[in-house]
């Protein structure tokens, strides 16, 4: 075979080999082959240079083939200086720092000496004085010591009492103290207070000292009660000196409704007492059948009777006379209206209000007696008048 033919075959085989290698590198397939057959289509990506590395552009084809080109030199470090001043114990310097993280120190300055501030500590009774030298770095030392001073005592004297000695306390401002100059205790100084006897208790004198010591002496017999007015039906006998009850009230002794002790008339039975809720009440006829009605000052429940109710005895034709207790202040309207048999009525000085028509149509009423001490009403010839 001629040399020319061999060279031709070798060239054809080399081309086939190169084509096969390029197909593998590009990931070419029969479907992809037409995309790169017309030439690679590269996309450029620029990589910027840093302080220490070059910049470049990378060209990449969709088939995967890529290469680098257009190199740019590294930019070099750009340092920013930070100055650190010297201190008492360390040198000053400038720190140069690049944004990439590289740094170095330079421009060193010798460290300075300590700058001390002086604080004088004054001597006390028990400790020396000195000057404290302090540097802002924390370094400090003491010097210029001064001898401690003696105690400066202030004296406070406590006088003797009945049971305790007197003495003087010497106290220094540092807190040290001691007692001295003791004086003998004194005797008791008693002040007498007389408690007079009462009806039931003895009198005596109390002797008390300011120290708290005391005793009782000079006893005097109890005086005994001084009887006041004798007990009555409604009042007790009391001691004039102390008010103690000596004898209870005797209570009424009614015979035929007249008390044999005080000649008082017994209250009528069957009256209805209506409470006002404040310890007082007013009276109504209720089931009372008396012809001579006596209205008491106190109800059976212990409430004060202050009024005769409205229409209390209206149309009570059997009623002939009325005696009103001295606690009653008001007689309601129509209270005795049309009591045709009523001939007499006694009104105490406590009554200050009589309602409308209280005694109208009382055709037999011939005697109305008003207590002479009544400030609102009076009676003249059996007739009722308002003093206003």
């Amino acid at each position: 075979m001629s040399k020319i033919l061999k060279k031709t075959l070798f060239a054809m085989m080399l081309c086939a080999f190169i084509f096969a290698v390029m197909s593998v590198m590009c990931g070419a397939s029969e479907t992809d082959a037409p995309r790169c057959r017309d030439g690679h289509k590269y996309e450029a990506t620029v990589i910027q240079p840093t302080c220490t590395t070059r910049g470049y552009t990378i060209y990449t084809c969709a088939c995967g083939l890529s290469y680098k080109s257009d190199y740019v030199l590294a930019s070099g470090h750009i340092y920013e200086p930070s100055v650190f001043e010297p201190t008492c114990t360390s040198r000053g310097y400038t720190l140069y720092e690049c944004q990439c993280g590289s740094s170095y120190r330079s421009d060193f300055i010798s460290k300075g000496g300590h700058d001390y501030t002086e604080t004088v500590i004054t001597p006390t009774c028990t400790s020396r004085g000195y000057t404290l030298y302090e540097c802002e770095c924390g370094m400090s030392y003491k010097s210029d010591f001064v001898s401690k001073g003696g105690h400066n005592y202030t004296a406070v004297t406590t006088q003797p009492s009945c049971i305790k000695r007197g003495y003087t306390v010497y106290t220094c401002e540092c807190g040290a103290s001691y007692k001295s100059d003791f004086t003998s205790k004194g005797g008791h100084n008693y002040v007498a207070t007389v408690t007079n006897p009462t009806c039931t208790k003895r009198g005596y004198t109390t002797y008390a000292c300011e120290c708290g010591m005391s005793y009782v002496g000079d006893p005097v017999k109890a005086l005994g009660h001084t009887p006041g007015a004798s007990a009555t039906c409604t009042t007790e006998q009391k001691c004039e000196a102390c008010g103690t009850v000596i004898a209870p009230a005797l209570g009424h002794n009614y015979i035929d409704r007249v008390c044999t002790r005080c000649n008082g008339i017994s209250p009528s039975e069957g009256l209805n007492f209506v409470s006002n809720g404040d310890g007082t009440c007013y009276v109504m006829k209720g089931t009372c059948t008396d012809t001579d009605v006596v209205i008491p000052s106190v109800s059976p429940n212990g409430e004060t009777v202050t009024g005769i109710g409205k229409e209390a005895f209206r149309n009570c034709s059997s009623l002939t006379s009325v005696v009103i207790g001295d606690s009653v202040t008001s007689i309601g309207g129509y209270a005795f209206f049309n009591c045709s048999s009523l001939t007499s009525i006694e009104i105490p000085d406590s009554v200050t209000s009589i309602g409308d028509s209280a005694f109208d149509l009382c055709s037999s009423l011939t005697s109305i007696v008003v207590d002479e001490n009544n400030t609102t009403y009076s009676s003249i010839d059996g007739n009722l008048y308002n003093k206003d």
Side-chain angles (χ1 to χ4, degrees):
M1 183 179 295
S2 64
K3 291 183 179 179
I4 296 174
L5 181 58
K6 288 181 179 179
K7 290 181 179 179
T8 302
L9 290 173
F10 178 76
M12 292 176 64
M13 291 174 67
L14 180 60
C15 289
F17 175 76
I18 292 172
F19 179 76
V21 171
M22 294 296 292
S23 297
V24 172
M25 291 179 63
C26 294
S29 65
E30 291 185 2
T31 56
D32 293 335
R35 185 172 56 185
C36 293
R37 287 175 182 170
D38 297 332
H40 294 293
K41 295 182 179 180
Y42 292 104
E43 290 289 336
T45 301
V46 177
I47 305 300
Q48 297 296 333
T50 67
C51 304
T52 56
T53 59
R54 292 184 302 169
Y56 56 87
T57 301
I58 184 168
Y59 294 90
T60 305
C61 180
C63 69
L65 185 65
S66 66
Y67 68 94
K68 297 178 182 178
S69 184
D70 306 330
Y71 287 93
V72 180
L73 294 176
S75 61
H77 294 296
I78 300 175
Y79 289 104
E80 289 291 334
S82 298
V83 177
F84 290 85
E85 298 295 336
T87 67
C88 308
T89 56
S90 60
R91 293 185 301 169
Y93 58 88
T94 300
L95 176 64
Y96 294 91
E97 294 179 291
C98 181
Q99 62 182 1
C100 72
S102 177
S103 66
Y104 69 94
R105 295 179 182 181
S106 184
D107 307 330
F108 289 93
I109 302 172
S110 298
K111 63 183 179 181
H114 293 295
D115 184 16
Y116 289 106
T117 299
E118 299 178 9
T119 302
V120 176
I121 307 300
T122 303
T124 67
C125 309
T126 56
S127 59
R128 294 185 301 169
Y130 56 89
T131 299
L132 176 64
Y133 294 89
E134 294 178 291
C135 180
E136 61 183 5
C137 71
M139 183 68 179
S140 66
Y141 69 94
K142 297 177 182 179
S143 185
D144 308 330
F145 289 93
V146 181
S147 299
K148 63 184 178 181
H151 292 296
N152 183 20
Y153 289 107
T154 300
V156 177
T157 300
T158 299
Q159 298 298 327
S161 68
C162 309
I163 56 176
K164 292 183 179 181
R165 293 186 302 169
Y167 55 88
T168 299
V169 176
Y170 294 90
T171 305
C172 179
E173 61 184 7
C174 71
S177 66
Y178 69 94
K179 293 181 181 179
S180 184
D181 307 333
F182 290 93
T183 54
S184 299
K185 62 184 179 181
H188 292 296
N189 183 21
Y190 290 107
V191 175
T193 302
V194 177
T195 300
N196 292 316
T198 67
C199 300
T200 57
K201 294 182 180 181
R202 293 186 306 167
Y204 54 88
T205 299
T206 301
Y207 294 91
C209 179
E210 60 184 4
C211 71
M213 184 71 179
S214 66
Y215 70 93
V216 176
D218 307 330
V220 180
K221 289 183 179 180
L223 301 175
H225 291 299
T226 303
S230 300
T232 67
C233 297
T234 56
T235 60
E236 305 157 326
Q237 184 185 40
K238 296 182 179 181
C239 174
E240 291 183 346
C242 68
T244 299
V245 176
I246 298 174
L250 300 175
H252 293 291
N253 183 31
Y254 291 113
I255 296 176
D256 295 331
R257 294 192 64 188
V258 177
C259 178
T260 59
R261 296 189 180 98
C262 68
N263 294 321
I265 301 173
S266 64
S268 297
E269 296 182 358
L271 295 174
N272 182 25
F273 297 92
V274 182
S275 176
N276 293 317
D278 59 357
T280 65
C281 63
Y282 62 90
V283 67
M284 300 293 287
K285 177 178 181 296
T287 60
C288 180
T289 59
D290 290 352
T291 57
D292 298 313
V293 172
V294 176
I295 297 174
S297 296
V298 180
S299 74
N301 291 331
E303 292 185 313
T304 302
V305 180
T306 58
I308 300 173
K310 184 179 180 180
E311 301 183 356
F313 295 91
R314 181 171 180 164
N315 299 325
C316 184
S317 60
S318 62
L319 182 63
T320 60
S321 68
V322 179
V323 176
I324 300 173
D326 58 9
S327 63
V328 174
T329 60
S330 66
I331 300 174
Y334 296 89
F336 298 97
F337 183 82
N338 196 30
C339 292
S340 57
S341 299
L342 180 63
T343 60
S344 65
I345 187 166
E346 296 180 13
I347 299 175
D349 61 357
S350 57
V351 174
T352 58
S353 172
I354 299 176
D356 294 339
S357 304
F359 301 106
D360 283 4
L361 300 185
C362 293
S363 56
S364 301
L365 184 60
T366 58
S367 175
I368 298 178
V369 178
V370 179
D371 189 285
E372 62 182 7
N373 293 320
N374 191 299
T375 59
T376 306
Y377 300 100
S378 64
S379 59
I380 301 174
D381 298 329
N383 295 313
L384 178 66
Y385 294 93
N386 190 319
K387 288 185 176 182
D388 293 338

